Amino acid sequence: MIKAAILGYGVVGYGVYEIIRKNEQSITRKTGGNTITVKHILDLRDFPDHEQPELFTKNYDDILNDPEVSIVVEVMGGLKPAYEYSKAALLAGKNVITSNKELVAEYGTELMALAKENNVNYLFEASVGGGIPIIRPLNQCLAANEIEEIYGILNGTTNYILTKMVAEGADFASALSEAQRLGYAERNPEADVEGYDACRKIAILASLASGKYVNWRNVPTEGITKITKSDVKFAEKYHAVIKLVGMAKINDGKVYSRVCPMVIPSGHQLSEVNDVFNAILVKGDSIGDVMFYGRGAGKLPTASAVVADVIDAAKHIHINKLITWKAAKEDFMIDPETASCQYFVRANAENVIDSFPGAENLGGENGEWFFVTQDMTEADFKAAFAGRGAYIRVLEA
Amino acid sequence: MIKAAILGYGVVGYGVYEIIRKNEQSITRKTGGNTITVKHILDLRDFPDHEQPELFTKNYDDILNDPEVSIVVEVMGGLKPAYEYSKAALLAGKNVITSNKELVAEYGTELMALAKENNVNYLFEASVGGGIPIIRPLNQCLAANEIEEIYGILNGTTNYILTKMVAEGADFASALSEAQRLGYAERNPEADVEGYDACRKIAILASLASGKYVNWRNVPTEGITKITKSDVKFAEKYHAVIKLVGMAKINDGKVYSRVCPMVIPSGHQLSEVNDVFNAILVKGDSIGDVMFYGRGAGKLPTASAVVADVIDAAKHIHINKLITWKAAKEDFMIDPETASCQYFVRANAENVIDSFPGAENLGGENGEWFFVTQDMTEADFKAAFAGRGAYIRVLEA
């Protein structure tokens, strides 16, 4: 019998509770005969109508000091008090499972090291890609590969908005309103639409893939708020769609990572990923391209990833699973200005194209002109472009 | 230091050797400091020009009786002598890693039980989907789900042939020749084109997902040899493509599984999987749809899946990972005649359609008529159809 505690009874916390109850039998089979039950739920709110009101507490010490609890599920989100709570649990020899990408991206290095020292596990499958299995495959299934590239559609809200803009010719503001109406976007959508959420996620993936901590602050991040209807229309003329992409390239131990809208040619696997779905394309030196696709958010998908980690922890009580990356002291980030790609340009004057030999002219409308440059470095592009409009990077096929 | 032996130095065996040598450093990091080296290679052939000729042996006892060898990589294929060799290794307390779908589909139940008894592991990630991580995600990442459906494009050879037929209007024979010329199909292509390979793979996935051994003999299997150019053309009129699909539905502990060509409406994720790529769509009760996509065959993709298992075994010396299914004694297979779907029909007379109320008429050519029925059971369909032509099942959207 393994006892777990849930910190935070929001959407995901409730989903975790529900799945553990509903699938008790099959979970017991999967742990090899060990039944998992929830003994405590920490939340500041009251849940008087809950079927097990006796589980609730407002005092974290009830969990921390309970020697029966071997697994702590942290689904509170945010850094405070999640960081202190997670640290205290690991120091007390308890496993910690989280869906908190912000915390993993900020303090993951320290928390994983603490887990290792205390012979327990800090697992975070649900922090990236919601229900899509990606952390474990990256760490384990692809262990035999050097990971060379990761391209991910990592945020369901922005993907929904961009899908809407492509399919219905909607502009950003109305697509956002629709997403908010459907509950796909929060009332304050900044973390999603400015790319902050995707940034934390690609930083986690890049850290795992490179084995060294990629600080999310070193990942240049642009959101989708400046994408226009005309951008979408002329991208279509170029047989492409626009998606928010988190990418990382690893070359000789050095990492280039970025979050930005990208023009993705149709036919590319990521171009077909629509609505709130997420997908992560991983390129390994042995395996070639592998893609993982599914629902990147939502109560049950995310909760099912958390519960999978709970089961894994139950199977590895006091065995550290060696999911880890090193603190990186030296500078191993590639200067983004030296990276190169093609650029999809919206120019504010027709003659801007003259600065780009070999550019493909897509035409124009309403005083804006569109073209696609040849492959060039960021630095060279920006020098030639001189801010005469806007641009979107093109994902290479 | 962990010593491994490779049984069979064919394409995959060579790939395993190569990856373990090339990625030694990163592999050591991933095992937590344990270096893995190949100590023996068993093959009946001579490799006089090999860089390490001293590794080769023709006598399995050299491996079995070497107490230093803790991991045996069986990439010989076939049942004999792979079965005896695997069994002996497990009984000797050695981990066995395999890419041998035939062996897993036939003797997996016994070999996994033996592994458990001897506190070692029998791992077979590479047996399905080549390099695509699917066995581990199914067993572990999706542990928190009841798996309800699996639809897989599991065979690269047939997918290449069908892609060619769609893209170039080639007929089966010439697409097969082209596949053979490129090395994607074997000189004797029966195992691929008759669906036997896909049958073993879906039987393995269905066993894992249901937790009970699904005997491949109970999976009705049809290949792609009877698909015509006209089928492809009229499927296109129906906005669909034809693919060879291995499917399993699990309902209330009962399993319906089948391998057959299917008409897949465009827009469905599997319709976009082309050439030699494989993809497996899994539906879980909590997670919804998840898809895994990548190269289903080839030296390095398959070898990288084998090496990932080797690393996993190295991390779990004398800890059984509980990847298993039960021997199923009672009858838990759903009678395929009671399953229902729509049928894409090629009829040998125009009036056949009159037997199917509500059928969608697609027209005809050269004395053949095409239509799509409404949803109906196999038994009802076959009674009404009475063998007046040919048919392909339609994958529901």
Side-chain angles (χ1 to χ4, degrees):
Chain A
M1 183 77 101
I2 288 179
K3 308 276 188 185
I6 299 173
L7 313 186
Y9 203 62
V11 171
V12 177
Y14 173 54
V16 169
Y17 171 81
E18 219 179 23
I19 292 177
I20 290 180
R21 296 262 299 184
K22 195 180 74 170
N23 295 348
E24 186 184 298
Q25 252 194 315
S26 67
I27 290 175
T28 302
R29 175 166 66 81
K30 282 158 187 165
T31 60
N34 245 328
T35 304
I36 298 174
T37 53
V38 175
K39 191 173 176 192
H40 304 283
I41 301 174
L42 180 78
D43 203 291
L44 292 179
R45 295 164 294 177
D46 288 313
F47 295 86
D49 301 330
H50 195 273
E51 51 177 344
Q52 294 186 284
E54 72 280 9
L55 300 187
F56 286 84
T57 174
K58 295 183 169 63
N59 182 357
Y60 184 49
D61 286 340
D62 291 345
I63 292 164
L64 199 60
N65 298 330
D66 184 341
E68 273 195 358
V69 171
S70 55
I71 297 175
V72 172
V73 175
E74 184 271 296
V75 285
M76 322 177 75
L79 298 180
K80 272 186 179 182
Y83 169 60
E84 282 75 16
Y85 284 5
S86 300
K87 202 168 156 174
L90 293 168
L91 284 167
K94 299 181 194 302
N95 296 279
V96 177
I97 315 297
T98 189
S99 60
N100 188 336
K101 61 202 150 282
E102 215 183 329
L103 185 58
V104 176
E106 187 73 36
Y107 294 113
T109 319
E110 180 192 356
L111 294 172
M112 283 185 284
L114 264 185
K116 198 175 172 197
E117 278 165 34
N118 289 279
N119 232 14
V120 289
N121 287 291
Y122 183 64
L123 303 177
F124 47 92
E125 179 62 67
S127 66
V128 183
I132 307 170
I134 178 65
I135 300 294
R136 193 170 281 112
L138 247 198
N139 188 65
Q140 200 174 50
C141 305
L142 304 180
N145 283 260
E146 301 287 350
I147 306 295
E148 295 169 343
E149 295 176 9
I150 301 174
Y151 290 94
I153 294 175
L154 298 167
N155 180 274
T157 305
T158 47
N159 205 42
Y160 178 84
I161 291 170
L162 291 169
T163 301
K164 205 88 190 154
M165 290 176 73
V166 171
E168 299 174 12
D171 62 16
F172 172 76
S174 67
L176 171 59
S177 301
E178 176 69 2
Q180 286 171 318
R181 198 182 60 77
L182 291 169
Y184 294 155
E186 295 182 46
R187 230 165 291 167
N188 177 356
E190 196 188 357
D192 292 318
V193 300
E194 296 294 356
Y196 307 153
D197 173 82
C199 170
R200 301 306 192 283
K201 291 171 177 170
I202 192 69
I204 293 171
L205 296 180
S207 300
L208 263 182
S210 69
K212 285 182 282 196
Y213 175 56
V214 173
N215 191 319
W216 58 269
R217 292 173 187 81
N218 294 332
V219 178
T221 296
E222 295 161 40
I224 63 164
T225 56
K226 290 170 195 147
I227 308 288
T228 67
K229 276 160 74 163
S230 297
D231 290 336
V232 170
K233 183 174 157 189
F234 281 86
E236 206 174 330
K237 264 188 117 168
Y238 186 61
H239 304 290
V241 292
I242 301 172
K243 304 262 175 208
L244 183 68
V245 174
M247 55 86 66
K249 287 194 189 195
I250 302 162
N251 192 355
D252 211 11
K254 295 199 168 258
V255 177
Y256 164 52
S257 183
R258 180 186 282 288
V259 172
C260 61
M262 295 195 96
V263 165
I264 307 182
S266 63
H268 191 286
Q269 281 289 322
L270 289 180
S271 73
E272 311 283 348
V273 177
N274 290 320
D275 298 318
V276 295
F277 280 87
N278 281 199
I280 300 132
L281 187 66
V282 177
K283 189 184 182 130
D285 64 343
S286 300
I287 206 173
D289 287 344
V290 196
M291 194 173 84
F292 303 87
Y293 167 94
R295 285 185 189 280
K299 179 176 80 165
L300 288 178
T302 306
S304 84
V306 171
V307 175
D309 273 349
V310 169
I311 294 171
D312 204 16
K315 288 167 72 174
H316 290 87
I317 294 287
H318 300 309
I319 306 166
N320 182 266
K321 283 182 61 73
L322 304 171
I323 296 187
T324 189
W325 57 67
K326 284 187 288 193
K329 270 164 199 121
E330 86 282 29
D331 181 24
F332 68 104
M333 296 300 286
I334 293 170
D335 179 0
E337 293 297 302
T338 65
S340 65
C341 66
Q342 292 182 277
Y343 299 81
F344 171 93
V345 176
R346 165 167 34 103
N348 58 20
E350 194 174 359
N351 68 353
V352 176
I353 193 172
D354 300 339
S355 312
F356 297 91
E360 182 178 346
N361 196 340
L362 301 170
E365 63 174 14
N366 309 326
E368 295 182 316
W369 289 266
F370 291 83
F371 60 90
V372 176
T373 72
Q374 296 195 308
D375 211 71
M376 55 201 301
T377 66
E378 289 273 330
D380 287 348
F381 170 76
K382 285 179 187 162
F385 184 54
R388 293 173 288 171
Y391 60 89
I392 304 176
R393 292 172 191 86
V394 178
L395 186 70
E396 61 197 289
Chain B
M1 184 77 101
I2 287 179
K3 307 277 189 184
I6 298 173
L7 313 186
Y9 203 62
V11 170
V12 177
Y14 174 52
V16 170
Y17 170 81
E18 219 179 23
I19 292 176
I20 290 181
R21 296 263 297 184
K22 195 180 74 173
N23 295 348
E24 186 183 299
Q25 252 194 314
S26 67
I27 289 175
T28 302
R29 175 167 65 81
K30 282 158 188 166
T31 60
N34 243 328
T35 304
I36 297 175
T37 53
V38 175
K39 190 173 176 193
H40 304 283
I41 301 174
L42 180 78
D43 202 292
L44 292 178
R45 294 164 295 178
D46 289 313
F47 295 86
D49 300 331
H50 195 274
E51 52 177 342
Q52 293 187 285
E54 71 280 8
L55 299 188
F56 286 85
T57 175
K58 295 183 169 64
N59 183 358
Y60 184 50
D61 287 340
D62 291 346
I63 292 164
L64 199 60
N65 298 330
D66 185 340
E68 272 195 359
V69 171
S70 55
I71 296 175
V72 172
V73 175
E74 183 271 297
V75 285
M76 323 176 74
L79 297 180
K80 274 188 180 181
Y83 169 59
E84 282 76 18
Y85 284 5
S86 300
K87 202 168 158 175
L90 293 168
L91 284 167
K94 299 181 193 302
N95 296 279
V96 177
I97 314 298
T98 189
S99 61
N100 188 337
K101 61 202 150 282
E102 215 185 327
L103 185 58
V104 176
E106 186 74 36
Y107 294 112
T109 319
E110 180 191 356
L111 295 171
M112 283 186 284
L114 264 184
K116 200 174 172 198
E117 279 166 33
N118 290 279
N119 233 14
V120 289
N121 286 291
Y122 183 64
L123 303 177
F124 47 92
E125 179 63 67
S127 67
V128 182
I132 307 169
I134 178 65
I135 299 294
R136 194 170 282 110
L138 247 197
N139 188 65
Q140 201 173 48
C141 306
L142 304 180
N145 283 260
E146 301 286 349
I147 306 296
E148 295 169 343
E149 294 176 7
I150 301 174
Y151 289 94
I153 294 175
L154 299 167
N155 180 274
T157 306
T158 47
N159 205 42
Y160 178 84
I161 292 170
L162 291 169
T163 302
K164 206 85 189 156
M165 290 176 74
V166 170
E168 299 173 14
D171 62 17
F172 172 75
S174 67
L176 171 60
S177 300
E178 178 69 3
Q180 286 172 319
R181 198 182 61 77
L182 292 169
Y184 295 156
E186 294 183 48
R187 230 165 290 167
N188 178 356
E190 196 187 357
D192 292 318
V193 300
E194 296 294 354
Y196 306 154
D197 173 82
C199 170
R200 301 307 191 284
K201 291 170 175 168
I202 192 68
I204 293 170
L205 296 180
S207 300
L208 263 182
S210 69
K212 285 182 282 196
Y213 175 57
V214 173
N215 191 319
W216 57 269
R217 291 172 188 81
N218 294 331
V219 179
T221 296
E222 294 160 42
I224 64 165
T225 56
K226 289 171 195 148
I227 308 288
T228 68
K229 278 161 73 163
S230 297
D231 289 337
V232 170
K233 183 173 156 189
F234 282 86
E236 206 174 330
K237 264 188 115 167
Y238 186 61
H239 303 291
V241 292
I242 300 172
K243 304 263 177 208
L244 184 67
V245 173
M247 55 86 65
K249 288 195 189 195
I250 302 162
N251 192 354
D252 211 10
K254 294 197 167 259
V255 177
Y256 163 52
S257 183
R258 179 186 284 287
V259 172
C260 60
M262 294 194 98
V263 165
I264 307 183
S266 63
H268 190 286
Q269 281 289 324
L270 290 180
S271 73
E272 310 284 349
V273 177
N274 290 319
D275 298 319
V276 296
F277 281 87
N278 282 197
I280 299 131
L281 187 66
V282 176
K283 189 184 182 128
D285 64 343
S286 301
I287 206 173
D289 287 343
V290 196
M291 193 172 84
F292 304 87
Y293 166 94
R295 288 186 187 277
K299 179 176 79 166
L300 288 178
T302 306
S304 84
V306 170
V307 175
D309 272 350
V310 169
I311 294 170
D312 203 16
K315 287 167 73 175
H316 290 86
I317 294 286
H318 299 311
I319 306 166
N320 182 266
K321 282 181 61 70
L322 303 172
I323 296 188
T324 189
W325 57 67
K326 285 188 289 195
K329 270 163 200 122
E330 87 281 30
D331 182 23
F332 69 104
M333 297 300 286
I334 293 170
D335 178 1
E337 294 297 303
T338 65
S340 66
C341 68
Q342 291 181 278
Y343 299 82
F344 172 92
V345 176
R346 164 168 34 104
N348 57 22
E350 194 174 358
N351 68 355
V352 175
I353 195 172
D354 300 339
S355 311
F356 296 90
E360 182 179 348
N361 195 341
L362 301 170
E365 64 176 12
N366 309 325
E368 294 182 317
W369 289 266
F370 291 83
F371 61 90
V372 176
T373 72
Q374 295 195 307
D375 211 72
M376 56 201 299
T377 66
E378 289 273 331
D380 287 348
F381 171 75
K382 285 179 187 161
F385 184 55
R388 292 173 292 172
Y391 61 91
I392 305 175
R393 293 172 190 85
V394 177
L395 186 70
E396 61 196 289

